[in-house]
Amino acid sequence: MSKVEPREAFPEEPDPSEPGSPAGRDAAACPSLPVGSPVIGAPVAGAAVVGGPVAPPGAEPRAGAPVRPARPVGVPPDVPADVPAGPGAPSRAGPPGKGRGDGRRSPARRREALVGLAFVGPMLVLFLIFRFGPTLGAAFLSLTDYRLSGEWDFIGAGNYARLLGDDLFWQSLGVTAVYTALYVPMTVLLALGTAVLLHRTLWLRGFFRGLFFLPYVTSIVLAAVIWKWIYEVEDGPLNAVLGALGTGPVDFLGDASLVLPSIAAASAWKGFGYSMLILLAGLQSIPREVAEAATIDGASAWQRFRWVTLPLLRPVLFFVLVIEAIQAFQVFDAMYVMTAGGPVRASYSLVYFLYDSGFKFFDFGYASAIGLVLFLIVLVFSLVQRRLIGREED
């Protein structure tokens, strides 16, 4: 058998210095380039070239090779590159109204906006009237001495000066502050603990969630009547249990030192269901991978809750605190039904004071001033909470 010589793996490259070779012709066409350097615009092997290679600056086109003119930056593909530019030149941005180049909306877009505004407009007008109308009316009424007969006199800041010197105002404000300090932590802790337990519960979670939310949808008057019966000294079930334990009966609603904690506990039972659902939704939105990573790092259950869950739950917790604080400052129904402001006005809140001024003594200007002061107090309290709790960490 004859011996077969192996072929070369790669063909011998042509010498660029030879005049007849393709590389030599390209080098001759570009005398400024050194011999052996890649030719600008030469097609890459295996790549499709649209319109042929772009001629390098100063080089003459090769015979039979189409030369594509350089396209300016920003010219759309459907516009020829040789279209003149300057004043009087055809526009390259396309027809007006079909893009954002002219800064104007198309007639169709404007028509859609007007139709949407026509549908929303009546409801928006009603919202502005019934939302800001009473507020502006109360602000004007607080500057007057308005009487039940309809007559009124403009007295300026007289109602506010009278308010600052009223001892009953400061007493009711102190009662409201103490009640808020008792109610808000009690409600938030109860809601947070219940939400954590429901988040960890896999069996009958929906049933318990509805059961805990049930007191929130009941009437506040009905809840106050039930808790007033529970706190009864002689026939109340709570005092019956305390009597069985050997403790004498306790007058929860008749003792000035116990009346606010008792009302706060009843109100917390009534209103914690809403905050529980909000916090439960926040807990379910936390990624499980974060807690799993903390568990792998050796964090305990309390450490995971303190350093992982609470920081991620911070926006939801801020919302719950603001909502519950606003509700605490507006407490009236529970105190009116359970104690009627007693004993010795120990449960006489600021809204109770507003109610008596406006609907018992018919001093509408003074009552309006109390309402605006309450609005400013709630606003400042919410801003302080935003500063301390709701601010995002840098």
Side-chain angles (χ1 to χ4, degrees), residues 241-257:
V241 173
L242 293 178
L245 296 177
T247 305
V250 179
D251 192 0
F252 292 98
L253 300 180
D255 191 346
S257 60

Side-chain angles (χ1 to χ4, degrees), residues 19-383:
S21 62
R25 288 196 303 267
D26 293 336
C30 302
S32 60
L33 297 176
V35 177
S37 62
V39 180
I40 300 177
V44 182
V49 180
V50 180
V54 180
E60 298 180 0
R62 290 179 291 174
V67 179
R68 182 180 59 186
R71 182 180 300 278
V73 178
V75 178
D78 54 347
V79 179
D82 54 351
V83 173
S91 175
R92 302 177 184 270
K98 290 190 176 181
R100 300 181 182 178
D102 54 356
R104 296 176 295 177
R105 288 186 177 182
S106 63
R109 296 289 298 275
R110 289 196 297 269
R111 195 181 309 113
E112 291 178 0
L114 291 177
V115 170
L117 186 60
F119 278 103
V120 179
M123 192 62 192
L124 182 61
V125 171
L126 291 177
F127 174 79
L128 293 177
I129 291 175
F130 289 100
R131 183 65 177 178
F132 296 101
T135 304
L136 297 177
F140 175 75
L141 199 63
S142 66
L143 304 176
T144 64
D145 182 14
Y146 189 88
R147 292 175 289 276
L148 188 62
S149 60
E151 299 177 357
W152 58 275
D153 298 323
F154 185 80
I155 60 175
N159 287 322
Y160 296 97
R162 174 187 167 190
L163 197 63
L164 293 178
D166 195 344
D167 295 336
L168 192 58
F169 165 73
W170 294 108
Q171 181 182 0
S172 61
L173 181 60
V175 169
T176 306
V178 173
Y179 174 82
T180 303
L182 293 172
Y183 169 80
V184 174
M186 194 181 302
T187 305
V188 173
L189 290 177
L190 183 60
L192 183 59
T194 310
V196 171
L197 291 177
L198 287 179
H199 183 61
R200 296 175 178 271
T201 302
L202 299 178
W203 183 66
L204 295 179
R205 178 187 297 178
F207 170 76
F208 288 110
R209 182 171 53 191
L211 182 65
F212 292 141
F213 186 72
L214 186 60
Y216 180 78
V217 299
T218 59
S219 172
I220 180 62
V221 176
L222 178 60
V225 169
I226 293 174
W227 277 94
K228 184 179 180 180
W229 168 70
I230 293 174
Y231 288 140
E232 282 288 339
V233 178
E234 298 179 357
D235 301 330
L238 185 57
N239 275 306
V241 173
L242 293 178
L245 296 177
T247 305
V250 179
D251 192 0
F252 292 98
L253 300 180
D255 191 346
S257 60
L258 296 177
V259 60
L260 286 181
S262 303
I263 298 176
S267 301
W269 172 86
K270 165 68 174 61
F272 85 99
Y274 177 78
S275 300
M276 177 203 67
L277 289 184
I278 300 297
L279 291 172
L280 180 60
L283 289 172
Q284 292 177 349
S285 64
I286 297 177
R288 293 185 177 181
E289 293 79 4
V290 181
E292 292 176 357
T295 304
I296 294 175
D297 291 338
S300 61
W302 168 248
Q303 290 174 339
R304 292 196 302 269
F305 179 77
R306 172 63 181 86
W307 301 107
V308 177
T309 303
L310 281 183
L312 295 177
L313 204 63
R314 190 174 183 177
V316 182
L317 195 60
F318 165 71
F319 173 78
V320 169
L321 285 173
V322 171
I323 293 299
E324 296 297 342
I326 293 174
Q327 186 173 355
F329 273 105
Q330 296 177 349
V331 60
F332 168 73
D333 308 72
M335 294 181 177
Y336 183 82
V337 174
M338 298 177 69
T339 61
V344 198
R345 290 180 177 171
S347 59
Y348 195 70
S349 65
L350 194 58
V351 178
Y352 210 132
F353 180 43
L354 186 153
Y355 170 79
D356 282 347
S357 300
F359 298 99
K360 187 176 181 180
F361 304 108
F362 303 108
D363 197 349
F364 298 109
Y366 195 53
S368 300
I370 297 172
L372 285 180
V373 169
L374 177 61
F375 167 75
L376 293 177
I377 291 174
V378 172
L379 178 62
V380 171
F381 191 80
S382 301
L383 292 178

